[in-house]
């Protein structure tokens, strides 16, 4: 109410001032424009000036409004494009999950430019292109993915390496992973993919260099890593044995240096592993150095018992077969019921031409455990001792056991 009274008071004062001003003649206004002359009363001129000012302000405000309206239209169009891109991206990802590769690739690639996350679109489109077998398109989409998002080198590179591995492009995958490893030497996933690549390439030497880093970074569970290390050194030993065999083919007196040198390179954990020791001793025996194999096995068996190693010990021929048999018989005192040791003792007895003792050892071993190996050894020994019937009977038992023959009636001889 007070505000309304104040407005009325101001209006009365302004009206009074104007009425008083109009009673006085304040002169006129003259404006000369070239050959034109404009004259008007002061009050009329003042009104025209005020009108021009009002029109100018109105035009400026209208122009500003139009500019803002254009920006609003542009923003509305942009938001519409983003909504469409999101919708097409969702449809593309669904098509990818459903295995509709061509549709997924089209939707994801065409909506990438307007999508919130173009990197995801291009990577998923590359996956779809890979599934269709278009490797050129895969490379092109991965390049666009890299260009679309700064700092995406690792993500794009890992996707590329995985697709190359899946496509059996092992050399390209290796090159990609080596580049990524230069960027990030300790990246766990890069190291894991490198391991897979070297495995498929059967590059055991590079794998042997990679294993310590895999162990240091805990890339694989300990048990799996131990098995991998055994596999690596087993294959390296096999290749060293092949190289040695080639040397000895040309020169029978050539040393076993390639194999023995590699044995010295083995990590302590691997050199203490019974399976690796077995592999190495078997390779020594295969290359003709049974004496060194026997010495190695004897040293290991004194401190670490293994049925696998005692079986091999019974197969190799040392420099002194009599001493080899005596040492094994000493072990029997501590392990009188070890079937594998008794089998080895039977073989060592044969090597010393102790036929009766060998037969006794084989029979005792067979009594403790029915082994195909022991059955074969005893059957062979019986045959050479003229006991053909016992030999045939053992062979039949072995065949029945191996083939799981059912218990059926048979005619009498």
């Amino acid at each position: 109410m007070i505000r309304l009274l104040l407005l009325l008071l101001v209006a009365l004062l302004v009206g009074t001032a104007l009425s008083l001003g109009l009673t006085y003649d304040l002169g006129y206004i003259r404006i000369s424009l070239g050959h034109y002359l404009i004259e008007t009363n002061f009050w009329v001129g003042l009104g025209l000036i005020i009108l021009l000012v009002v029109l100018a302000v109105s035009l400026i405000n209208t122009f500003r409004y139009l500019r803002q309206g254009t920006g609003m239209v542009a923003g509305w169009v942009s938001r519409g494009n983003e909504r469409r891109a999101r919708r097409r991206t969702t449809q593309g990802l669904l098509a990818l999950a459903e295995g509709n590769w061509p549709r997924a690739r089209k939707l994801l690639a065409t909506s990438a430019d307007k999508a919130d996350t173009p990197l995801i679109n291009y990577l998923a489109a590359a996956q779809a292109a890979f599934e269709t077998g278009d490797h050129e398109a895969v490379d092109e989409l991965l390049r666009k993915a890299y260009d679309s998002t700064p700092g995406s080198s690792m993500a794009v590179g890992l996707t590329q390496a995985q697709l190359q591995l899946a496509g059996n492009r092992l050399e390209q995958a290796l090159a990609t992973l080596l580049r990524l490893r230069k960027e990030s030497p300790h990246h766990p996933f890069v190291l894991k993919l490198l391991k897979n690549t070297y495995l498929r390439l059967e590059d055991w030497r590079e794998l042997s260099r990679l294993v310590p880093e895999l162990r240091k970074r805990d890339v694989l569970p300990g048990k799996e890593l131990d098995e991998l290390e055994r596999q690596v050194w087993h294959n390296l030993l096999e290749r060293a044995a092949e190289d040695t065999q080639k040397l000895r083919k040309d020169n029978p007196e050539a040393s076993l240096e390639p194999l023995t040198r590699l044995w010295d390179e083995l990590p302590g954990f691997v050199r203490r592993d019974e399976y690796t020791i077995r592999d190495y001793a078997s390779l020594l025996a295969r290359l003709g150095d049974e004496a060194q194999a026997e010495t190695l096995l004897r040293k290991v068996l004194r401190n670490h018992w293994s049925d696998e190693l005692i079986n091999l010990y019974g197969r190799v021929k040392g420099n002194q077969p009599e001493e080899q048999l005596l040492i094994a018989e000493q072990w029997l005192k501590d392990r009188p019921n070890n079937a594998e040791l008794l089998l080895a003792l039977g073989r060592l007895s044969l090597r010393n031409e102790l036929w009766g003792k060998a037969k006794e050892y084989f029979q005792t071993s067979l009594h403790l455990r029915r082994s195909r190996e022991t059955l074969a050894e005893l059957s062979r020994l019986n045959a050479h001792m003229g006991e053909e019937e016992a030999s045939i009977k053992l062979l039949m038992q072995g065949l029945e056991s191996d083939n799981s023959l059912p218990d059926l009636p048979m005619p009498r001889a």
Side-chain angles (χ1 to χ4, degrees), residues 356-373:
K357 179 179 281 193
K359 183 175 181 179
E360 185 180 343
Y361 280 134
F362 288 145
Q363 288 174 335
T364 307
S365 176
L366 196 60
H367 176 72
L368 292 169
R369 188 188 66 191
R370 297 194 68 79
S371 160
R372 181 177 60 182
E373 217 176 339

Side-chain angles (χ1 to χ4, degrees), residues 7 12 18 89 94 148 202 210 219 244 267 269 273 346 369 384:
L7 287 174
L12 288 172
L18 288 174
T89 298
L94 286 172
S148 71
E202 296 186 357
L210 184 66
V219 175
T244 304
F269 151 74
D273 178 66
R369 188 188 66 191
H384 283 82

